[in-house]
Amino acid sequence: MTLAVKKANVNLIVSSILSCCKNHMHFCFLQELCQCRPIDGNCSCCKECMLCLGTLWDECCDCVGMCNPRNYSDTPPTSKSTVEELHEPIPSLFRALTEGETHLHWNIVSFPVSEELTYHENLVSFLESFDMSPLQNVSLPEESPHVQLENEKEPHCTVVYFDDCMSIHQCKNSCESMGASKYRWFHNACCECIGPDCIDYGNKVVKCMNCTF
């Protein structure tokens, strides 16, 4: 979908909502039921205004200044995803299929497991699970989740992105068939299979060759 089409769709949605709200807005204003301003701390008419708008409250409350302005722009589907753990992974199969270069319909991506971990506490828990005490060889910068191991080779998370778009059902089946531990299905239909050495749910960035929008 092009940017122009997306903008046209947003404008159409906004126009439809405003048209639907218009009559009710006039009626509620004439009845002086929506004159207060909650944003300024005055919510003396909020309940009456909500009752007046009725089922149109969700769509129209911002039009009468009763709630924050709505952002009608669509959230990119690439920023949303569904994840699930697979019940019977086969680590040896996944590692065998992702070892070295392949000329199949997927892209293999490998990165340090620390890149999966967002919070400092999760990182410490992960390192402690390796019974590395004291953690004298580990550097934990406050602003970065990356780990520097001097005497240990940091484990890597390996994921597989299928080149083409697929349904969430196809994604789950494909990841199960290659022995993955989990999968992430982006809402643009990009499928990511997550290997057994990953701590979280792999990479949060879409990298499917033919399914990027």
Side-chain angles (χ1 to χ4, degrees):
M1 185 181 293
T2 65
L3 182 60
V5 173
K6 287 183 178 179
K7 287 184 177 179
N9 288 342
V10 170
N11 291 335
L12 181 61
I13 293 171
V14 174
S15 298
S16 299
I17 291 174
L18 290 177
S19 176
C20 183
C21 292
K22 190 174 181 180
N23 292 334
H24 278 75
M25 285 169 54
H26 284 308
F27 175 78
C28 296
F29 273 122
L30 287 174
Q31 297 295 317
E32 297 185 352
L33 298 175
C34 298
Q35 302 298 320
C36 59
R37 286 293 174 267
I39 296 176
D40 298 329
N42 178 11
C43 203
S44 58
C45 68
C46 292
K47 186 174 182 179
E48 289 78 9
C49 184
M50 183 182 69
L51 292 173
C52 182
L53 291 174
T55 57
L56 293 175
W57 170 262
D58 290 344
E59 289 80 12
C60 304
C61 65
D62 59 333
C63 297
V64 294
M66 300 300 291
C67 60
N68 291 324
R70 194 183 308 274
N71 181 6
Y72 293 99
S73 299
D74 291 333
T75 302
T78 53
S79 68
K80 296 181 287 186
S81 60
T82 299
V83 296
E84 184 181 351
E85 292 193 21
L86 300 174
H87 296 299
E88 296 182 359
I90 308 176
S92 58
L93 174 61
F94 186 88
R95 292 189 181 104
L97 293 177
T98 56
E99 185 177 359
E101 292 187 9
T102 62
H103 299 284
L104 300 173
H105 56 289
W106 62 52
N107 177 34
I108 301 170
V109 178
S110 186
F111 51 91
V113 293
S114 58
E115 291 186 11
E116 288 188 288
L117 305 175
T118 306
Y119 299 105
H120 179 84
E121 293 80 7
N122 289 343
L123 182 57
V124 172
S125 297
F126 163 66
L127 292 172
E128 288 178 345
S129 70
F130 281 83
D131 195 24
M132 296 168 58
S133 55
L135 300 177
Q136 56 187 10
N137 295 326
V138 181
S139 174
L140 296 175
E142 291 184 3
E143 300 297 328
S144 172
H146 296 275
V147 191
Q148 297 174 357
L149 303 180
E150 295 179 2
N151 298 325
E152 297 279 347
K153 183 179 180 181
E154 183 182 1
H156 275 60
C157 169
T158 299
V159 300
V160 169
Y161 289 94
F162 287 95
D163 291 344
D164 299 321
C165 298
M166 60 177 63
S167 69
I168 188 171
H169 180 69
Q170 290 175 314
C171 180
K172 181 176 181 178
N173 286 344
S174 296
C175 291
E176 282 181 329
S177 68
M178 65 184 308
S181 298
K182 309 167 188 173
Y183 73 91
R184 180 187 293 274
W185 185 77
F186 294 91
H187 290 192
N188 74 322
C190 172
C191 177
E192 175 187 1
C193 300
I194 301 161
D197 299 315
C198 301
I199 302 301
D200 198 10
Y201 284 91
N203 200 324
K204 299 175 179 63
V205 179
V206 169
K207 293 188 177 182
C208 296
M209 187 174 297
N210 304 322
C211 189
T212 56
F213 299 104

